[in-house]
Amino acid sequence: MKRLYLIRHAEAEFMGRGRGDHGRVLTDEGHAQARHLGELLADAHITVVLHSTADRATQTARGMGLSADLRPAEELYNAGTMGLLSVVADLEDAVEVAALVAHAPGVPALVDELAGPDPDPHAAASVLHHYPTATVAGIEFSGSWADLDGSRLFWAARG
């Protein structure tokens, strides 16, 4: 079974202060949330973290402090489910556990799409109707990164 952890970036400032939406950075609370996400995921054996190039997503990915290969992808910025899936599909089959840090509404929509017919009830209750910043959902599946066969929501938490 492969695992994919889908993360909505941590709390960011409301306005980009002249840097636009792409340049919005994490608040102090957002930095704390990113560290907490790292603590939650420390034993998940994540080897690759795909992340949006938006400052808040990059800071979240780095702030988790995981010993993983950080891979920025411009395509993840404001991507919908198809855009997110196309980046995930390019992962090497040798990767067993990966994380993706991106944005709403794409991340919550993808979690909903991949939750499967029998999601963990606690995880489903915490993310399928509300997906605040610094939320992570774990999806497990068989097959390749390109098809995510038999996907199932198995875990969720908030950083």
Side-chain angles (χ1 to χ4, degrees), residues 59-121:
Q59 289 177 324
T60 301
R62 289 181 181 155
M64 292 189 300
L66 300 175
S67 296
D69 179 16
L70 300 182
R71 298 184 188 176
E74 182 68 36
E75 303 90 341
L76 295 176
Y77 178 64
N78 285 338
T81 58
M82 297 305 293
L84 297 174
L85 285 171
S86 70
V87 174
V88 170
D90 288 337
L91 281 169
E92 305 84 13
D93 282 334
V95 174
E96 292 293 321
V97 184
L100 180 144
V101 181
H103 311 272
V107 169
L110 185 56
V111 170
D112 184 63
E113 185 174 316
L114 297 177
D118 185 32
D120 175 87

Side-chain angles (χ1 to χ4, degrees), residues 129-152:
H129 301 290
H130 182 61
Y131 211 98
T133 56
T135 296
V136 56
I139 304 291
E140 58 188 6
F141 60 96
S142 57
S144 72
W145 293 103
D147 58 35
L148 291 90
D149 284 341
S151 63
R152 178 182 179 268

